DNA sequence: ACAAAAAGTTTCCTATAAGAAACTTTTTTA
DNA sequence: TAAAAAAGTTTCTTATAGGAAACTTTTTGT
């Protein structure tokens, strides 16, 4: 159902790619949630063949085909395999499909170092995508000053979930109920933000972190 | 998200953080999804008998019993009926059971390169925080192969919003309704995922991107 | 405690999901 | 183009889910 991504397509290859969609409309009205359609989108989005998807999920090629064509209603077991194998977000499969027409279109690009700044005592916050309001996620880059160990703050707590990725340096993540962990460049963490949390620097240089809050 | 303002505290509070519950490194193993147990909890929580639940969901009393006793793996259809009839939160059913002791918060650490891999033709997906399901955000690191310009896939579209940050290399972000943009290391973008989008590499080496979907 | 009713489980049968392999269609290669 | 390969679909079979009703256990009322 996706349109074709015409623009940057290079001639001969282009044709190849156009051919992908247009499977039977298969208007199975039984399931208002077009599970199969979505699974297919996800698989194709990852450029996988049924064969490859089969290997990843442990489900038979034919089974996948039938799921995608809405010929069967997969079991919980099958769906779990799907989710684990393809990295599918299950909740999404249970929500109503997005009408094509509703394709809205907000976009905001933030260049390196061009975010909106919020300097504070220990962290520096650089808000990304600050132009867009009403976002589901709030991304920002934080700079953790070197060795702020002694005077780091109390637990931070707030609604939602938080993801962080260490971009440089070495930090220590403290979260309530868990052991502190050291995180280096490339390491990431995901946690409930209602749980107390705090990050401190462990390196001689400042550490930078990408943070996304939902 | 009011997480600022906590930094001003000092010394004496520092102690606070030392004492936190000792708890093994979380969520690293795949726990059995105790679907049935959870369904039962929910039903009983609502003070419903199987008979009543049956009326609400349209599933047979016996079927419900078997689901709760983990004797069968319900189909997508059945799960939808369950969810609609009992107001069950599907994501929860797919998350590993949370031990009581850590009920107050979930956390998942993913080390660099240790995420769950999803190799595909053009991108490599490394799922982060893969142990946690039912998340509001799905973070992953993608490797965009060098010059995959010609054979990238069709528009990708899905529900939600997406944030991306270029970790290395140089890529081109195509989004429907907008001009393509070149993004280099440190640049980021935020957009509605229902809008067609695709990323290709522009550099000689592979590019890596952090992606977060909500 | 006893019956009766209600709640829950199991059995048995039918419908349907899952897998293997045959078959069809699409894409690639020469 | 034709032939081969790859991708996808369908068929056939087996395993298992879903529903009706019998059966068992628990609760309620006297």
């Amino acid at each position: 159902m996706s349109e074709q991504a015409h623009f940057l397509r290079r001639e001969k290859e282009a044709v190849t790619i156009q051919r992908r969609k247009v499977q039977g409309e298969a208007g199975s009205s039984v399931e208002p949630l077009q599970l199969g359609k979505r699974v297919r989108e996800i698989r194709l989005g990852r450029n996988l063949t049924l064969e490859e998807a089969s290997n990843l999920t442990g489900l038979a090629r034919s089974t996948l085909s039938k799921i995608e064509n809405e010929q069967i209603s997969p079991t919980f077991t099958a769906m779990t395999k799907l989710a684990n194998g393809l990295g599918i977000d299950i909740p999404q499969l249970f929500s109503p499909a997005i009408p094509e027409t509703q394709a809205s279109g907000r976009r905001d690009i933030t260049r390196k170092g061009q975010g909106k700044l919020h300097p504070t005592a220990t962290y520096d916050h650089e808000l990304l995508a600050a132009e867009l309001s009403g976002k589901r996620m709030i991304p920002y880059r934080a700079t953790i000053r070197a060795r702020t160990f002694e005077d780091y703050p109390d637990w931070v707590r707030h609604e939602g979930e938080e993801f962080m990725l260490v971009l440089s340096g070495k930090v220590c993540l403290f979260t309530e109920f868990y052991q502190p962990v050291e995180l280096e460049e490339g390491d990431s963490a995901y946690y409930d933000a209602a749980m107390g949390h705090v990050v401190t620097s462990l390196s001689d240089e400042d550490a930078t972190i990408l943070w996304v809050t939902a």
Side-chain angles (χ1 to χ4, degrees), chain A:
Chain A
M1 61 308 310
S2 45
E3 333 290 73
Q4 23 303 61
H6 358 281
F7 49 149
L8 55 60
R9 187 148 286 143
R10 245 78 158 226
E11 27 255 8
K12 51 183 181 182
E13 306 284 326
V15 193
T16 302
I17 300 177
Q18 315 278 42
R19 287 308 92 85
R20 309 213 77 141
K21 63 295 195 62
V22 190
Q23 311 301 0
E25 189 66 353
S28 117
S29 53
V30 185
E31 296 289 5
L33 324 170
Q34 306 196 249
L35 174 82
K37 216 172 165 186
R38 306 241 216 143
V39 171
R40 173 152 291 178
E41 269 174 16
I42 289 163
R43 177 175 63 83
L44 293 180
R46 303 219 193 312
N47 253 33
L48 295 170
T49 65
L50 285 177
E51 180 68 34
E52 295 168 318
S54 170
N55 292 332
L56 285 169
T57 59
L59 292 168
R61 201 160 86 252
S62 56
T63 303
L64 291 171
S65 170
K66 282 180 276 190
I67 290 173
E68 293 188 353
N69 291 302
E70 322 235 293
Q71 290 172 8
I72 62 178
S73 172
T75 60
F76 176 74
T77 306
M79 294 190 65
T80 303
K81 287 181 184 172
L82 257 186
N84 291 338
L86 297 185
I88 285 184
D89 180 37
I90 294 289
Q92 223 167 271
L93 297 181
F94 283 86
S95 344
I98 336 123
E100 290 293 325
T101 52
Q102 187 191 315
S104 43
R106 302 181 307 156
R107 191 183 85 171
D108 188 8
I109 307 289
T110 309
R111 296 294 176 179
K112 184 174 193 173
Q114 302 302 301
K116 197 165 186 226
L117 282 178
H118 278 282
T120 68
T122 39
Y123 300 171
D124 272 0
H125 290 252
E126 180 192 351
L127 274 184
L128 308 177
E131 303 303 318
L132 247 45
S133 52
K135 298 188 293 293
R136 292 194 195 176
M137 300 181 283
I138 315 234
Y140 56 92
R141 190 173 1 225
T143 302
I144 319 279
R145 302 253 166 69
R147 291 202 236 67
T148 54
F149 202 75
E150 314 76 20
D151 52 18
Y152 62 86
D154 247 336
W155 289 129
V156 175
R157 287 173 210 279
H158 49 87
E159 217 282 304
E161 301 175 7
E162 216 155 65
F163 168 76
M164 55 168 280
L165 172 74
V166 179
L167 298 174
S168 72
K170 198 166 168 182
V171 300
C172 185
L173 167 67
F174 296 86
T175 38
E176 208 174 5
F177 315 126
Y178 291 87
Q179 293 292 343
V181 255
E182 291 192 10
L183 299 174
E184 306 189 14
E185 184 264 313
D187 294 342
S188 62
Y190 196 112
Y191 52 85
D192 289 328
M195 196 165 54
H197 56 282
V198 150
V199 173
T200 64
S201 170
L202 290 180
S203 50
D204 284 348
E205 303 91 53
D206 292 351
T208 56
I209 288 185
L210 174 81
W211 237 309
V212 186
T213 305

